[in-house]
Short mmCIF file of all heavy atoms in Angstrom, two decimals:
data_model
loop_
_atom_site.label_atom_id
_atom_site.label_comp_id
_atom_site.label_asym_id
_atom_site.label_seq_id
_atom_site.Cartn_x
_atom_site.Cartn_y
_atom_site.Cartn_z
N GLY Y 5 1.11 12.21 0.01
CA GLY Y 5 1.10 13.49 0.70
C GLY Y 5 1.12 14.63 -0.29
O GLY Y 5 1.33 14.43 -1.49
N TYR Y 58 2.82 87.18 35.37
CA TYR Y 58 2.46 88.58 35.16
C TYR Y 58 1.68 89.13 36.35
O TYR Y 58 1.81 90.31 36.71
CB TYR Y 58 1.63 88.73 33.88
CG TYR Y 58 2.42 88.49 32.61
CD1 TYR Y 58 1.82 87.91 31.50
CD2 TYR Y 58 3.76 88.86 32.52
CE1 TYR Y 58 2.54 87.69 30.34
CE2 TYR Y 58 4.48 88.63 31.35
CZ TYR Y 58 3.86 88.05 30.28
OH TYR Y 58 4.57 87.83 29.11
N GLY Y 59 0.86 88.27 36.95
CA GLY Y 59 0.12 88.71 38.14
C GLY Y 59 1.06 89.08 39.28
O GLY Y 59 0.82 90.07 40.00
N VAL Y 88 3.77 124.13 60.74
CA VAL Y 88 2.92 124.28 61.94
C VAL Y 88 3.76 124.67 63.14
O VAL Y 88 3.37 125.54 63.94
CB VAL Y 88 2.15 122.96 62.21
CG1 VAL Y 88 1.49 123.01 63.60
CG2 VAL Y 88 1.08 122.73 61.14
N LYS Y 99 -3.21 117.63 60.61
CA LYS Y 99 -4.10 116.49 60.80
C LYS Y 99 -4.50 115.88 59.45
O LYS Y 99 -4.54 114.66 59.27
CB LYS Y 99 -5.36 116.89 61.56
CG LYS Y 99 -5.09 117.29 63.00
CD LYS Y 99 -6.37 117.76 63.68
CE LYS Y 99 -6.11 118.20 65.12
NZ LYS Y 99 -7.33 118.68 65.78
N ARG Y 100 -4.76 116.75 58.48
CA ARG Y 100 -5.13 116.27 57.16
C ARG Y 100 -3.96 115.51 56.52
O ARG Y 100 -4.15 114.46 55.93
CB ARG Y 100 -5.52 117.45 56.28
CG ARG Y 100 -6.13 117.03 54.93
CD ARG Y 100 -6.45 118.21 54.04
NE ARG Y 100 -7.42 119.10 54.67
CZ ARG Y 100 -7.15 120.33 55.06
NH1 ARG Y 100 -5.93 120.83 54.89
NH2 ARG Y 100 -8.08 121.07 55.62
N THR Y 141 10.64 83.13 48.54
CA THR Y 141 10.31 84.44 47.98
C THR Y 141 10.66 84.43 46.51
O THR Y 141 11.81 84.19 46.14
CB THR Y 141 11.08 85.56 48.70
OG1 THR Y 141 10.74 85.55 50.09
CG2 THR Y 141 10.74 86.90 48.10
N ARG Y 166 -4.05 76.72 11.29
CA ARG Y 166 -2.95 75.78 11.01
C ARG Y 166 -2.41 75.13 12.28
O ARG Y 166 -2.01 73.96 12.28
CB ARG Y 166 -1.83 76.52 10.28
CG ARG Y 166 -0.69 75.62 9.82
CD ARG Y 166 0.35 76.37 9.02
NE ARG Y 166 1.08 77.35 9.84
CZ ARG Y 166 0.87 78.65 9.81
NH1 ARG Y 166 -0.05 79.17 9.01
NH2 ARG Y 166 1.57 79.47 10.57
N LYS Y 189 -19.35 51.60 3.45
CA LYS Y 189 -19.76 51.68 2.04
C LYS Y 189 -19.20 50.48 1.27
O LYS Y 189 -19.87 49.89 0.41
CB LYS Y 189 -19.28 52.98 1.44
CG LYS Y 189 -19.76 53.19 0.01
CD LYS Y 189 -19.31 54.54 -0.54
CE LYS Y 189 -19.81 54.75 -1.95
NZ LYS Y 189 -19.39 56.08 -2.49
N LEU Y 196 -16.58 39.30 -4.06
CA LEU Y 196 -15.95 38.66 -5.21
C LEU Y 196 -14.50 38.40 -4.85
O LEU Y 196 -13.72 39.35 -4.68
CB LEU Y 196 -16.04 39.56 -6.45
CG LEU Y 196 -15.35 39.01 -7.70
CD1 LEU Y 196 -15.95 37.68 -8.14
CD2 LEU Y 196 -15.42 40.03 -8.83
N ARG Y 233 -20.30 36.15 -4.09
CA ARG Y 233 -21.39 36.00 -3.13
C ARG Y 233 -22.23 37.28 -3.18
O ARG Y 233 -21.71 38.39 -3.00
CB ARG Y 233 -20.86 35.78 -1.72
CG ARG Y 233 -20.03 34.50 -1.56
CD ARG Y 233 -19.61 34.35 -0.11
NE ARG Y 233 -18.81 33.15 0.10
CZ ARG Y 233 -17.49 33.11 0.03
NH1 ARG Y 233 -16.80 34.22 -0.27
NH2 ARG Y 233 -16.83 31.97 0.21
N PRO Y 235 -25.23 39.07 -1.32
CA PRO Y 235 -26.20 39.05 -0.22
C PRO Y 235 -27.55 39.59 -0.68
O PRO Y 235 -27.61 40.54 -1.46
CB PRO Y 235 -25.55 40.00 0.81
CG PRO Y 235 -24.69 40.90 0.00
CD PRO Y 235 -24.18 40.07 -1.14
N ARG Y 244 -26.20 50.59 8.57
CA ARG Y 244 -24.95 51.04 9.17
C ARG Y 244 -24.31 52.16 8.33
O ARG Y 244 -23.79 53.14 8.86
CB ARG Y 244 -23.98 49.87 9.32
CG ARG Y 244 -24.30 48.95 10.48
CD ARG Y 244 -23.12 48.04 10.79
NE ARG Y 244 -22.80 47.17 9.65
CZ ARG Y 244 -23.32 45.97 9.46
NH1 ARG Y 244 -24.22 45.50 10.33
NH2 ARG Y 244 -22.98 45.23 8.42
N ALA Y 280 -5.08 97.16 24.21
CA ALA Y 280 -4.22 97.22 25.39
C ALA Y 280 -2.97 98.02 25.12
O ALA Y 280 -2.49 98.77 25.99
CB ALA Y 280 -3.87 95.80 25.84
N LEU Y 286 -1.56 105.70 26.21
CA LEU Y 286 -2.39 106.72 26.85
C LEU Y 286 -2.08 106.83 28.33
O LEU Y 286 -2.00 107.95 28.87
CB LEU Y 286 -3.87 106.38 26.64
CG LEU Y 286 -4.38 106.47 25.19
CD1 LEU Y 286 -5.81 105.93 25.10
CD2 LEU Y 286 -4.32 107.89 24.68
N ALA Y 297 2.19 118.03 36.55
CA ALA Y 297 1.24 118.81 37.35
C ALA Y 297 1.64 118.86 38.81
O ALA Y 297 1.56 119.91 39.46
CB ALA Y 297 -0.16 118.21 37.20
N ARG Y 338 -0.53 90.15 29.03
CA ARG Y 338 -1.51 89.08 29.20
C ARG Y 338 -2.29 88.84 27.91
O ARG Y 338 -2.60 87.70 27.55
CB ARG Y 338 -2.44 89.40 30.35
CG ARG Y 338 -1.86 89.15 31.74
CD ARG Y 338 -2.81 89.58 32.81
NE ARG Y 338 -2.39 89.08 34.13
CZ ARG Y 338 -2.87 89.52 35.27
NH1 ARG Y 338 -3.79 90.48 35.27
NH2 ARG Y 338 -2.44 89.02 36.42
N ILE Y 356 9.58 76.27 23.12
CA ILE Y 356 9.49 75.01 23.86
C ILE Y 356 9.26 73.88 22.87
O ILE Y 356 8.32 73.90 22.09
CB ILE Y 356 8.33 75.05 24.89
CG1 ILE Y 356 8.58 76.16 25.91
CG2 ILE Y 356 8.18 73.70 25.57
CD1 ILE Y 356 7.42 76.35 26.87
#
Side-chain angles (χ1 to χ4, degrees):
Y58 290 146
V88 169
K99 293 177 182 178
R100 188 183 300 114
T141 300
R166 186 176 67 256
K189 185 177 182 180
L196 177 61
R233 298 183 180 91
R244 283 195 298 269
L286 293 173
R338 281 176 168 166
I356 298 174

